[in-house]
Amino acid sequence: MSFSKDADPSLGFLTKRDTEVKLPRPTRVKNKTPASIQITAEQILREARERQEPEIRPPKQKITDPNELGDYRLRRRKEFEDQIRRARWNTRVWVKYADWENQKDFARARSIWERALEVDYRERTLWLKYAEFEMKNRFVNHARNVWDRAVSLLPRVDQLWYKYIHMEEMLGNVAGSRQVFERWMDWQPDQQGWLSYIKFELRYGEIDRARHVFERFTVCHPHATAWIRFAKFEMKNSEIARARAVYERAVDLLSGEEDEAEQLFVAFAEFEEKCREIDRARCIYKFALDHIPKGRAEELYKKYVAFEKQYGDREGIEDAIVGKRRFQYEDEVKKNPLNYDSWFDYIRLEENVGNKDMIREVYERSIANVPPAQEKRYWQRYIYLWLNYALYEELGAEDMDRTRDVYRECLKLIPHKKFSFAKIWLLAAQFEIRQKSLKAARQILGNAIGMAPKDKIFKKYIEIEMQLGNIDRCRTLYEKYLEWSPANCYAWSKYAELERSLSETERARGIFELAIAQPALDMPELLWKAYIDFEISEGEIERTRLLYERLLDRTKHLKVWISYAKFEASVGLEDLDISVKAQLENVDPSYREEQIDRIQRCRGIFGRAFDYFRTSAPEMKEERAMLLEEWSNMETVFADLGDLSLVQSKLPRKVKRKRAISSEDGTPAGYEEYIDYIFPDEVAMAPNLKILEAAYKWKKQKAASEED
């Protein structure tokens, strides 16, 4: 046997070409325009229905002979029996079979019903259909027998009892119906069964029997709804004393912990309200509010408020509303004692009521919930409870001793070694000042500086001493402030400003010198600016130049160069008006010489800055371009003495370029455009840039030609 040359050993005698699955090529739709006649789904369904073949129905059979009838019955019985053999548990087959046998042959029909019940006697449909069959054919005793068997075997199926009772009542057998009800009640059905029994007795005017059934009903189902129905029954029969007794028995039996106790008390109070017993109803509401847990009495509070609005005075209404809200807040703070917002709302409610004892009690309970962790973020909301407490004692209760005690206890509670609150220290000191106790205020602020120094405390303490005119104390405080925070430029500047306001120029200069000599400062630029402005205001031009030079030794920032240049351009002109400057230019020739000297000094600073950025920091092209822009503006300001050609020969050309950017993990993320500056000196030093310049000019000319 010879194999094909291309045969695959793993595929037997077949080649790979033979095993390939050939799929049809997708047909291309040449014309995609919509058809002129559109076919809808409704049209397709209508045509399918019209073309559907007619249903095949068996021919009608006319029976004219008893023998034919017997044959027909035999054939149908055989069909039903075959169906039963195939699906013995199918109730519908048994019901159809029994209904078909109902041809005045009652024995056969009963036999089928009995056979079905032997298969599944728990199927209620069989019992209902069986009893209905007996009743339709007026076999009352047979129907009773069926119902008796049904309720005996299935006593928990309420439908069977209802049908049985309905049959007896339709037959006028009231005693029999009552007897069936009694048999049913022995099984202790649900509330609807008892209520059906009561309605049955009421239909025949048996009030005492209905009352007796109600008594048994409340014993079987001791719930609030049962007692309320019993009381309404008595009320409907004008038995007010009996109805009140029912409610009282229900209140005695049902404790306040029951879920339905609220419903019972509301119904009891509404009953007394209908009887015009307003005081009784109010007492019931108050008794209920005292005994029912607050989480289950929302509806009760609403009813009580509505009741007081209708029958009570203004004080009673307010008490009801406040009681309801107080109950809500108590529930909230009980669930989460550390929810300080709930405490604030609760305190605000009590302050509106105005009971001092209650307000203090709520304040004491709230501040007792100290945050569990010694972290400031947990205390930031809690500390306002103490602040509000102290303000209430001072402004609301006007008890200064208690206010002082509140501040003292609060300061003892705060762990100052870990964190503190400047607000507490300052409010306590301001309180003592309002009480004209300056010594106590100084003691509090001194303790604050010693235990928990903060910027706010130093600033406020210095402000207080300044208002009192104690300069020596202010100096001492500034010294303490700077010992605590030597890098604080604000403190250095304010200290020097104080000495300058006292005309202590040398002291102010000495403070500035100490400040700039510090190894670390938080905002050194502000300090140097303040020092320079101080020397300028004192008219010390040479000292100012020396300061600028010292500053340039530390930093070569662009703003420093520009500020230095502007200073040189405006030396001695700060206090002169524009009109005065114009008159001096026309009258005084020495003024023009001074102005030329200032311009030369300014140009010298700009030139030094440009040389620095060109040689020492060539990568800072943008700063160099900004410097030239400022220089150009200054030359424009110099008017006829200015020379723009000095700057224009140095101005750069802006070029758009692209550079690669990468993501955080180092992978390339594309390109971004940026502005690059090409200076004339760079072009001269780098011959390769001429090619770029030529390309740039060519591109610019091409763009202009395209626009034309």
Side-chain angles (χ1 to χ4, degrees), residues 291-436:
H291 288 78
I292 295 179
K294 296 178 180 179
R296 301 175 183 171
E298 296 181 2
E299 187 66 24
L300 186 64
Y301 265 112
K302 291 181 182 178
K303 294 288 185 180
Y304 181 37
V305 171
F307 170 80
E308 288 293 348
K309 286 181 180 179
Q310 185 174 358
Y311 299 104
D313 52 4
R314 180 174 181 178
E315 184 178 355
I317 295 171
E318 290 179 354
D319 289 342
I321 296 173
V322 169
K324 180 180 178 181
R325 294 177 63 188
R326 185 182 289 127
F327 155 75
Q328 294 173 349
Y329 292 138
E330 283 286 350
D331 191 33
E332 289 179 8
V333 299
K334 184 178 180 181
K335 290 179 181 177
N336 185 9
L338 298 178
N339 185 2
Y340 300 120
D341 291 331
S342 300
W343 285 110
F344 284 123
D345 296 337
Y346 196 0
I347 290 166
R348 196 177 300 114
L349 171 68
E350 295 296 346
E351 287 180 349
N352 292 333
V353 174
N355 189 342
K356 290 184 180 180
D357 296 332
M358 287 293 297
I359 295 171
R360 284 171 177 160
E361 180 188 352
V362 177
Y363 267 121
E364 293 293 338
R365 288 171 56 196
S366 64
I367 61 178
N369 298 293
V370 183
Q374 290 188 354
E375 295 184 24
K376 190 170 183 178
R377 58 195 180 99
Y378 297 120
W379 287 64
Q380 286 176 341
R381 195 75 176 136
Y382 167 74
I383 208 68
Y384 279 95
L385 292 172
W386 287 95
L387 294 179
N388 291 350
Y389 191 9
L391 292 175
Y392 167 74
E393 291 292 352
E394 182 183 0
L395 303 176
E398 297 182 355
D399 191 338
M400 304 307 162
D401 294 332
R402 288 183 67 92
T403 306
R404 190 173 288 108
D405 293 338
V406 170
Y407 279 122
R408 187 182 300 114
E409 293 298 325
C410 179
L411 291 173
K412 286 181 182 178
L413 183 64
I414 298 172
H416 299 289
K417 292 183 179 180
K418 294 187 176 182
F419 59 86
S420 184
F421 294 94
K423 189 183 292 291
I424 292 289
W425 294 103
L426 295 176
L427 288 175
Q430 290 170 355
F431 165 74
E432 295 295 348
I433 292 173
R434 288 194 294 271
Q435 303 307 313
K436 300 180 180 180

Side-chain angles (χ1 to χ4, degrees), residues 343-582:
W343 285 110
F344 284 123
D345 296 337
Y346 196 0
I347 290 166
R348 196 177 300 114
L349 171 68
E350 295 296 346
E351 287 180 349
N352 292 333
V353 174
N355 189 342
K356 290 184 180 180
D357 296 332
M358 287 293 297
I359 295 171
R360 284 171 177 160
E361 180 188 352
V362 177
Y363 267 121
E364 293 293 338
R365 288 171 56 196
S366 64
I367 61 178
N369 298 293
V370 183
Q374 290 188 354
E375 295 184 24
K376 190 170 183 178
R377 58 195 180 99
Y378 297 120
W379 287 64
Q380 286 176 341
R381 195 75 176 136
Y382 167 74
I383 208 68
Y384 279 95
L385 292 172
W386 287 95
L387 294 179
N388 291 350
Y389 191 9
L391 292 175
Y392 167 74
E393 291 292 352
E394 182 183 0
L395 303 176
E398 297 182 355
D399 191 338
M400 304 307 162
D401 294 332
R402 288 183 67 92
T403 306
R404 190 173 288 108
D405 293 338
V406 170
Y407 279 122
R408 187 182 300 114
E409 293 298 325
C410 179
L411 291 173
K412 286 181 182 178
L413 183 64
I414 298 172
H416 299 289
K417 292 183 179 180
K418 294 187 176 182
F419 59 86
S420 184
F421 294 94
K423 189 183 292 291
I424 292 289
W425 294 103
L426 295 176
L427 288 175
Q430 290 170 355
F431 165 74
E432 295 295 348
I433 292 173
R434 288 194 294 271
Q435 303 307 313
K436 300 180 180 180
S437 179
L438 187 59
K439 182 179 179 181
R442 282 174 175 159
Q443 184 178 1
I444 291 171
L445 292 173
N447 291 335
I449 291 173
M451 297 174 64
K454 285 179 174 290
D455 289 329
K456 285 184 180 179
I457 297 174
F458 279 110
K459 292 176 184 177
K460 195 65 180 178
Y461 197 0
I462 292 169
E463 181 183 346
I464 292 171
E465 295 296 348
M466 280 293 295
Q467 290 175 354
L468 296 173
N470 295 323
I471 304 301
D472 292 335
R473 284 184 177 272
C474 291
R475 284 174 176 156
T476 305
L477 287 173
Y478 271 121
E479 291 172 3
K480 295 286 185 183
Y481 193 0
L482 293 172
E483 286 178 9
W484 172 68
S485 177
N488 193 332
C489 293
Y490 172 84
W492 288 106
S493 301
K494 287 295 181 180
Y495 192 8
E497 185 180 340
L498 169 66
E499 297 295 349
R500 184 192 169 197
S501 65
L502 299 173
S503 300
E504 295 285 350
T505 306
E506 293 301 325
R507 288 180 66 93
R509 188 174 288 119
I511 291 168
F512 275 122
E513 289 293 334
L514 287 173
I516 62 177
Q518 296 298 318
L521 294 170
D522 55 359
M523 290 185 292
E525 64 277 4
L526 296 182
L527 184 64
W528 281 93
K529 184 179 184 303
Y531 194 5
I532 291 170
D533 291 343
F534 164 73
E535 295 293 357
I536 292 173
S537 63
E538 294 295 328
E540 299 287 345
I541 306 301
E542 292 301 325
R543 285 181 178 273
T544 306
R545 288 195 182 104
L546 289 175
L547 276 178
Y548 270 117
E549 294 295 337
R550 289 167 64 187
L551 182 57
L552 287 173
D553 291 339
R554 295 192 176 205
T555 177
K556 298 292 194 297
H557 197 275
L558 174 65
K559 289 184 178 180
V560 179
W561 289 107
I562 294 173
S563 177
Y564 192 7
K566 288 182 177 179
F567 162 73
E568 291 292 356
S570 61
V571 170
L573 302 178
E574 294 85 357
D575 300 330
L576 296 179
D577 194 7
I578 297 175
S579 59
V580 176
K581 292 179 183 178

Side-chain angles (χ1 to χ4, degrees), residues 39-47:
I39 300 175
T40 61
E42 182 182 0
Q43 183 178 354
I44 294 171
L45 292 174
R46 186 173 62 252
E47 291 180 357

Side-chain angles (χ1 to χ4, degrees), residues 656-664 666-674:
K656 276 188 180 181
R657 292 185 178 177
K658 290 184 179 181
R659 59 187 170 195
I661 57 174
S662 58
S663 58
E664 295 180 357
T667 58
Y671 295 87
E672 67 174 357
E673 288 188 350
Y674 71 100

Side-chain angles (χ1 to χ4, degrees), residues 250-265 287-297 300:
V251 170
D252 293 337
L253 291 173
L254 296 178
S255 62
E257 299 297 329
E258 293 289 337
D259 294 338
E260 298 180 346
E262 178 189 12
Q263 185 180 358
L264 176 64
F265 280 112
F287 177 83
L289 293 174
D290 293 337
H291 288 78
I292 295 179
K294 296 178 180 179
R296 301 175 183 171
L300 186 64

